[in-house]
Amino acid sequence: MMALRRSPSAPGWRPRSWLWRLLLVLLLAPPALILAYRVIPPPVTPLMLIRATQGHGLQRDWVALDRIAPALARAVIASEDNLFCRQTLGFDFGALRAELQEWWEGDRPRGASTITMQTAKNLLLWPGRDPFRKLVEAWLTPQVALLWPRQRVMEVYLNIVEFGPGIYGAEAAARAFFDKPAARLTQREAALLAAVLPSPLNWSAAAPSPATARRAANIERRIGQLGPLLDCLAES
């Protein structure tokens, strides 16, 4: 006897129901993870896994923000995101407008990535500059900014950011490059670590090129000019 084919309208066949459930999971999973990571150290990031498959290894040692020399947080703000303490929703809207204007005029945008944007990307996304990834990053960034205090953003950033091949976070970088814990970093050492962030696979804080050394010196000078723009680092 020929088996009867289940009608799409028959009980148990609800493709739209499964689609809505999948969409709900995709919408709720990121904020749930972000909320969890407000108190729990992230065990691993996509970039760490990708680099490990490329043969770079994985050196990392999570430490609380109060066990990282304050000079490093000041240095990364001076290097990467001067307005970190003043941003709404984790974006630098002035830089974004300038980037859009450059794109509209046919120029290559210089980039407007903030520390909060980089934290969202490093925490949950893959490396790259494709438009879809940038769109997802823009969706995740306000969630991080709203669900975490700024000190937690900085703490996670300094613990997961890539400082060298297979070297992640302030503690691993301080021990690998300067043979000391992150709590004992000097301002010069912190500036050197911040200086390599744009290209950690090619630039070295332990053996800086003349260009990297100049970049570190500029970061040190900029720290002294930021003044109240660093005030969120002192919040309890």
Side-chain angles (χ1 to χ4, degrees):
M1 180 180 295
M2 183 179 296
L4 294 176
R5 180 177 297 177
R6 176 177 288 178
S7 168
S9 61
W13 179 272
R14 296 180 179 177
R16 290 185 181 180
S17 172
W18 283 106
L19 183 62
W20 280 111
R21 290 178 186 179
L22 177 61
L23 183 60
L24 191 63
V25 169
L26 292 175
L27 287 174
L28 295 182
L33 271 177
I34 291 168
L35 270 175
Y37 289 154
R38 176 173 173 147
V39 294
I40 301 170
V44 73
T45 69
L47 179 63
M48 293 176 189
L49 296 176
I50 291 169
R51 292 285 191 254
T53 65
Q54 295 171 344
H56 291 303
L58 202 167
Q59 299 179 49
R60 181 191 175 202
D61 188 5
W62 181 281
V63 293
L65 186 60
D66 60 11
R67 290 177 55 198
I68 301 173
L72 185 56
R74 293 194 293 263
V76 297
I77 289 177
S79 174
E80 300 288 296
D81 185 7
N82 291 180
L83 298 178
F84 172 72
C85 291
R86 296 289 184 269
Q87 286 155 5
T88 303
L89 301 179
F91 297 115
D92 183 342
F93 288 105
L96 284 174
R97 283 193 295 270
E99 187 175 58
L100 288 172
Q101 183 66 28
E102 289 180 2
W103 175 80
W104 182 258
E105 293 174 354
D107 297 327
R108 183 178 179 180
R110 293 171 295 177
S113 184
T114 66
I115 286 174
T116 308
M117 293 171 70
Q118 293 179 51
T119 302
K121 175 195 72 176
N122 292 342
L123 188 65
L124 297 170
L125 301 177
W126 61 95
R129 300 182 64 85
D130 58 278
F132 177 72
R133 202 228 66 191
K134 296 295 288 185
L135 183 64
V136 178
E137 179 185 314
W139 175 58
L140 293 173
T141 295
Q143 298 179 55
V144 171
L146 291 171
L147 295 175
W148 294 359
R150 282 192 175 91
Q151 284 195 318
R152 179 59 174 177
V153 175
M154 181 60 70
E155 181 175 61
V156 173
Y157 177 77
L158 291 180
N159 273 284
I160 66 175
V161 70
E162 185 180 35
F163 283 107
I167 299 171
Y168 304 92
E171 185 72 10
R175 294 189 180 276
F177 299 134
F178 305 116
D179 196 27
K180 62 171 63 174
R184 291 174 49 205
L185 287 168
T186 67
Q187 180 166 292
R188 177 62 176 173
E189 291 164 345
L192 284 168
L193 287 175
V196 305
L197 289 176
S199 188
L201 298 183
N202 300 306
W203 302 347
S204 172
S209 67
T212 302
R214 287 194 298 272
R215 180 177 172 84
N218 289 334
I219 290 170
E220 286 191 86
R221 282 194 294 271
R222 198 173 303 146
I223 291 171
Q225 298 167 355
L226 290 178
L229 290 177
L230 299 170
D231 57 9
C232 67
L233 299 178
E235 293 175 3
S236 60

